[in-house]
Amino acid sequence: MTVTATSVDESDQLQPQTAPSSRAERLVRLVPALAAALCGVLLYVSFPPRPLWWLALPAFAGLGWVLRGRGWKAGLGLGYLFGLGFLLPLLVWTGVEVGPVPWIALAAIEAMFIALVGAGIAAVSRLPAWPLWAAAVWIAGEAARARVPFHGFPWGKVAFGQADGVFLPLAAVGGSPVLGFAVVLCGFGLYEAVRLGLDARRTREIRRSAAAVALLSVAVPVAGAVAARALVSDKAQDGYTTVALIQGNVPRSGLEFNAQRRAVLDYHARETERLAAEVKAGKIARPDLVLWPENSSDVDPFANADAYAVIDQAAKAIGAPISVGGVVARDGKLWNEQILWDPRKGPTDTYDKRQIQPFGEYLPLRGLIGAINGNWTSMVRQDFSRGTKPGVFTMDRAKVGLVTCYEAAFDWAVRSEVTDGAQLISVPSNNATFDRSEMTYQQLAMSRVRAVEHSRTVTVPVTSGVSAIIMPDGRITQKTGMFVHAHLVQKVPLRSSETPATRLGVLPEIALVLVAAGGLGWAIGAGVRGRRTRDA
């Protein structure tokens, strides 16, 4: 073996090529990392309560600039920074009650999915028509986040930031996956169009096929959204029903736990009786059905005669069926339950929440978590049980599908109510724990997307606000403030037709995941072939 020595002069000449020689060069190397984090923040700013949905496009254009042509390891790190920039501010509300550690931990864990997406986007960015593959990889990442761990956490899907946007009608075509895919594809397409334009100015050459792909990546989502408007309608198909939403509010301080629960029940009964008095006085039309929020009766009415009497009195006063959100103990198990309360017959039907919230309604890995932090086990003393069946209440002549709070984030939980016959959807929620944070507005935007996705009126009764009535075209026609007692009454359309999104269900998401897998397979295969060629 021959060993060649390198002289000092030669090594000095090589040194500037392997290490930055100045602070400016070091800062330049930090630009992609800073840009990735700032683009993540830009995506966050595009979400409600700000109506800046269009900022998602430059956010993904910037992500495309950061990731295109890089190796998967760089993509992993830059994707993680993008994820932290997005999720840390988006999920800050999760720490309102329990402090910053769970909030930061949740954002850090969820950002790992976006890190993997970043690696995947970097891998496919060298392929022809890369915006298509890259957008599909993003949706595949969202599909994974919606399922694992602990049954998933879909909060922060791109689609949920588009309730005010021009792309919203695409929800009726293929649900949140197709809506999100269109936004991400358009963002990557914008970057590619700008990049090719700058290249053409420098080289005086136009790469026609690449330019066509870039323009189509922008034009097709926009044209698709315009065409999809034909699927969006707020016209009644099965007549109308007059619905009332009750927001009783919650006591802010000064009561111990059991007194708080009883006060919340009394507040909702009192607000219902206040509505009944207005009806009797002829100030407002009598509702055909009344919707109370989640946790409006944390005192089990089946086990407490006084709670039963309070609800029954309110139902008789208004003279209409009420959907009551209760916490019910049955057969040694705890249930987050909606109870259909008839003014003459009392409780006649129930719906048990199926998608319960980890660390809020049940504690995963209880033994391990308790050993790390005993406060968690004291906060979640007993796990709620999961329901197994869709909940559609027949209230007066309307079929009302129940989607309890956290369930609104899950595609399957909303769709199942519609396919089970729901003519309108109710999303009873309890956001009081999260104070005046953005959480309630983020969840309200989800409900607006669901309204268009399934072409149904969506009602959102919330204990402390914001309660709202949403038309099938996604418009909010009435809403309350936060931490006030209020009621909303409106005549709303009943609909029974199914959108393509309802009929197709999970198929569009599966198709996009397969596209992502195809692109990743192509990129990996191309990389292997390239290494073999270099080795040969």
Side-chain angles (χ1 to χ4, degrees):
M1 180 174 68
T2 302
V3 178
T4 302
T6 302
S7 68
V8 174
D9 290 342
E10 289 173 332
S11 64
D12 287 343
Q13 291 173 359
L14 291 172
Q15 184 65 25
Q17 299 174 12
T18 58
S21 61
S22 67
R23 180 177 298 178
E25 289 183 23
R26 288 194 293 270
L27 289 175
V28 166
R29 291 192 175 190
L30 288 176
V31 168
L34 292 172
L38 288 174
C39 286
V41 173
L42 196 63
L43 181 59
Y44 154 70
V45 175
S46 75
F47 272 65
R50 296 159 296 277
L52 303 176
W53 58 271
W54 52 270
L55 286 178
L57 302 180
F60 281 103
L63 182 64
W65 172 71
V66 166
L67 293 178
R68 186 182 179 278
R70 295 189 181 272
W72 70 268
K73 291 180 182 179
L76 197 71
L78 293 169
Y80 193 69
L81 291 172
F82 181 89
L84 288 178
F86 172 45
L87 293 172
L88 276 172
L90 185 80
L91 302 179
V92 67
W93 52 267
T94 60
V96 169
E97 187 75 11
V98 294
V101 174
W103 155 52
I104 293 171
L106 175 62
I109 292 169
E110 291 296 311
M112 291 179 184
F113 288 91
I114 299 180
L116 293 172
V117 167
I121 291 173
V124 301
S125 67
R126 293 181 174 86
L127 298 178
W130 73 267
L132 171 70
W133 310 110
V137 168
W138 180 274
I139 299 303
E142 288 190 343
R145 279 208 305 126
R147 289 164 174 81
V148 293
F150 313 128
H151 299 275
F153 186 72
W155 217 277
K157 276 189 168 186
V158 170
F160 297 152
Q162 296 296 308
D164 290 302
V166 298
F167 297 101
L168 180 60
L170 288 170
V173 176
S176 64
V178 167
L179 173 54
F181 174 77
V183 174
V184 179
L185 177 62
C186 195
F188 287 149
L190 280 173
Y191 162 66
E192 182 69 352
V194 171
R195 186 185 71 83
L196 292 172
L198 293 175
D199 282 350
R201 285 187 62 183
R202 186 177 64 253
T203 64
R204 305 295 183 184
E205 293 181 5
I206 298 176
R207 296 163 53 193
R208 296 184 184 277
S209 59
V213 168
L215 292 175
L216 287 172
S217 296
V218 176
V220 170
V222 174
V226 172
R229 289 181 182 177
L231 299 173
V232 179
S233 174
D234 63 354
K235 293 181 179 179
Q237 295 174 321
D238 304 305
Y240 293 85
T241 191
T242 300
V243 61
L245 277 62
I246 302 297
Q247 179 176 301
N249 204 8
V250 298
R252 302 297 289 154
S253 61
L255 297 175
E256 57 91 23
F257 180 68
N258 286 327
Q260 286 260 359
R261 295 192 302 168
R262 179 53 196 266
V264 172
L265 170 58
D266 289 342
Y267 287 2
H268 284 82
R270 193 176 305 150
E271 189 64 27
T272 304
E273 290 168 0
R274 186 178 292 115
L275 170 61
E278 291 184 10
V279 170
K280 187 175 181 180
K283 296 179 180 179
I284 198 166
R286 181 180 299 277
D288 299 312
L289 57 99
V290 179
L291 302 170
W292 284 13
E294 178 188 36
N295 298 124
S296 47
S297 180
D298 276 359
V299 182
D300 184 350
F302 299 110
N304 296 272
D306 57 340
Y308 187 107
V310 167
I311 298 170
D312 203 53
Q313 179 179 331
K316 284 180 167 60
I318 194 62
I322 304 177
S323 179
V324 178
V327 173
V328 174
R330 185 172 60 250
D331 301 327
K333 297 180 179 180
L334 202 60
W335 307 88
N336 185 336
E337 191 166 84
Q338 287 290 311
I339 307 164
L340 177 55
W341 208 285
D342 186 90
R344 292 176 296 278
K345 301 176 183 177
T348 60
D349 200 358
T350 60
Y351 166 65
D352 297 317
K353 187 176 182 180
R354 294 169 293 167
Q355 188 68 43
I356 56 177
Q357 183 181 351
F359 303 100
E361 293 172 305
Y362 79 101
L363 194 59
L365 309 173
R366 180 175 287 272
L368 177 61
I369 296 296
I372 297 172
N373 187 344
N375 290 334
W376 279 110
T377 55
S378 63
M379 291 176 64
V380 188
R381 294 185 179 89
Q382 181 180 353
D383 292 344
F384 280 84
S385 297
R386 295 178 182 275
T388 57
K389 298 178 181 178
V392 179
F393 288 169
T394 300
M395 304 181 72
D396 189 53
R397 56 190 179 82
K399 293 186 180 298
V400 181
L402 284 307
V403 180
T404 306
C405 196
Y406 184 58
E407 292 183 318
F410 293 83
D411 297 346
W412 65 268
V414 185
R415 178 178 180 267
S416 65
E417 313 302 69
V418 178
T419 57
D420 205 46
Q423 297 168 305
L424 67 86
I425 298 169
S426 180
V427 185
S429 303
N430 177 19
N431 299 339
T433 303
F434 306 110
D435 201 46
R436 296 182 181 273
S437 70
E438 294 181 357
M439 182 271 185
T440 191
Y441 300 102
Q442 293 170 8
Q443 189 178 54
L444 186 60
M446 293 179 194
S447 296
R448 294 178 64 190
V449 172
R450 300 306 185 191
V452 174
E453 181 179 4
H454 299 292
S455 194
R456 294 292 187 274
T457 298
V458 176
T459 58
V460 187
V462 185
T463 50
S464 56
V466 174
S467 301
I469 297 173
I470 305 167
M471 290 292 99
D473 59 5
R475 288 179 300 115
I476 296 175
T477 53
Q478 290 193 59
K479 65 179 180 179
T480 69
M482 295 185 73
F483 292 102
V484 295
H485 65 81
H487 53 262
L488 304 176
V489 180
Q490 185 172 323
K491 187 177 182 180
V492 299
L494 299 175
R495 294 179 60 84
S496 55
S497 64
E498 292 187 352
T499 63
T502 307
R503 291 193 294 269
L504 292 171
V506 75
L507 292 179
E509 186 176 57
I510 291 174
L512 290 170
V513 170
L514 291 175
V515 170
L520 289 170
W522 185 4
I524 292 169
V528 170
R529 288 190 296 272
R531 283 193 295 273
R532 287 175 179 171
T533 301
R534 288 193 298 271
D535 292 342

